Amino acid sequence: MENHLSLIKTGYQDIEKRILPRFPFNYLTFKAQNGAERVFAVKDISFTGMQLSLKDGGHPYKIGETVHGELHWRGAVLDLKAEVKWVHGQRLGVKFSDTPAFEEEIKGFLSIDNIIKGMKALHQSRMDLDFPSDLEYWLQADGPVEVFVWTHHDREISRFQLIMMESFVEYQDGKGLKSGRVLTKRDLDTPLVQEDEFVFEMDETLDDERLIFAQNIVTKIPEGFLPEHVFDFLRLKLRIS
């Protein structure tokens, strides 16, 4: 699956695309309570906003309108208001109201401990998913976090990616460790596999905050989710002492 390495240079920015598999079930949802009684899947989320998607039907929301509703995740509920920033068919992007009280609530809702509680080791059951042949380990926590570990033909680790809300950290053989910001994420309409296209704005140098975020995630992953040699590799490359 080498098509996730195309590089585009625009001025001083490096913009890179990755085509990554998509888990078809999402337990992080948003129930709108104004304008349309719809339940949206949360495609991705950060402390400042989220991307929503409907599988069926439409919605009435337009750019600039306010959306009010409830964010649901594994029994936890968070009431919120957000402004619609963009609309594309059944998808829309919203920006949360930036009150100090809500900032604390969303940080608690998306705390690392909560993320780890919602994490699944998809490679252990595979659930009839169409895994790329070189994707050996896949951890997923709905919208906030995904971890992909890829291998060579000899099963040695070739690269890994951690997508953590708006942040991205990656290691590749021969290229080392780098970081970036998630610019966009969209579904790809492919007939045989379910995939997402990610577009990343790469940092000029490795970002310390993104690296620390990745270190904190890996440190708290339950032991049974990955073999010890994979943990050792992640710790080594992420500089976890």
Side-chain angles (χ1 to χ4, degrees), residues 49-92:
M50 58 186 175
Q51 180 185 157
L52 305 175
S53 177
L54 281 175
K55 285 188 177 181
D56 301 300
H59 62 79
Y61 298 116
K62 298 178 181 179
I63 294 173
E65 292 185 341
T66 297
V67 178
H68 177 225
E70 294 177 339
L71 197 58
H72 292 256
W73 195 26
R74 303 179 347 269
V77 180
L78 179 62
D79 187 78
L80 64 85
K81 291 183 179 179
E83 180 185 355
V84 178
K85 304 301 289 185
W86 58 265
V87 177
H88 184 74
Q90 294 172 307
R91 297 185 295 121
L92 64 154

Side-chain angles (χ1 to χ4, degrees), residues 203-220:
D203 297 321
E204 187 174 353
T205 59
L206 184 64
D207 184 273
D208 288 339
E209 289 188 6
R210 301 192 207 281
L211 177 59
I212 290 170
F213 197 177
Q215 291 171 339
N216 289 339
I217 290 290
V218 169
T219 299
K220 292 197 173 186

Side-chain angles (χ1 to χ4, degrees), residues 18-51:
R18 300 287 188 276
I19 307 302
L20 298 170
R22 179 174 73 250
F23 185 59
F25 308 109
N26 193 332
Y27 302 100
L28 179 62
T29 61
F30 176 72
K31 184 177 181 180
Q33 296 178 333
N34 68 313
E37 294 294 325
R38 298 286 189 184
V39 177
F40 294 83
V42 179
K43 297 297 295 179
D44 59 71
I45 190 169
S46 70
F47 296 133
T48 57
M50 58 186 175
Q51 180 185 157

Side-chain angles (χ1 to χ4, degrees), residues 56-205:
D56 301 300
H59 62 79
Y61 298 116
K62 298 178 181 179
I63 294 173
E65 292 185 341
T66 297
V67 178
H68 177 225
E70 294 177 339
L71 197 58
H72 292 256
W73 195 26
R74 303 179 347 269
V77 180
L78 179 62
D79 187 78
L80 64 85
K81 291 183 179 179
E83 180 185 355
V84 178
K85 304 301 289 185
W86 58 265
V87 177
H88 184 74
Q90 294 172 307
R91 297 185 295 121
L92 64 154
V94 302
K95 182 178 183 296
F96 298 140
S97 301
D98 55 355
T99 63
F102 182 76
E103 287 179 8
E104 291 302 314
E105 290 179 339
I106 192 66
K107 285 179 181 178
F109 192 88
L110 296 176
S111 68
I112 290 179
D113 286 341
N114 278 348
I115 289 170
I116 294 300
K117 287 177 184 177
M119 184 170 280
K120 300 173 288 290
L122 300 181
H123 57 275
Q124 292 181 351
S125 63
R126 301 217 166 215
M127 299 177 64
D128 295 326
L129 299 175
D130 189 3
F131 271 54
S133 59
D134 53 346
L135 178 59
E136 193 72 17
Y137 306 101
W138 181 8
L139 307 180
Q140 197 252 20
D142 295 313
V145 169
E146 293 202 67
V147 180
F148 299 93
V149 180
W150 309 80
T151 59
H152 295 294
H153 293 301
D154 60 5
R155 308 299 289 274
E156 293 294 320
I157 296 173
S158 62
R159 61 193 181 276
F160 62 78
Q161 292 115 359
L162 286 90
I163 300 170
M164 310 160 296
M165 293 188 277
E166 291 181 319
S167 292
F168 166 77
V169 171
E170 175 180 73
Y171 170 83
Q172 293 187 60
D173 275 352
K175 296 186 177 181
L177 200 61
K178 56 185 177 179
S179 62
R181 180 169 68 95
V182 180
L183 291 181
T184 63
K185 173 184 175 182
R186 69 181 183 93
D187 297 348
L188 292 181
D189 295 325
T190 51
L192 299 178
V193 296
Q194 293 181 303
E195 296 175 322
D196 282 332
E197 179 189 78
F198 289 82
V199 177
F200 302 104
E201 178 185 64
M202 307 308 294
D203 297 321
E204 187 174 353
T205 59

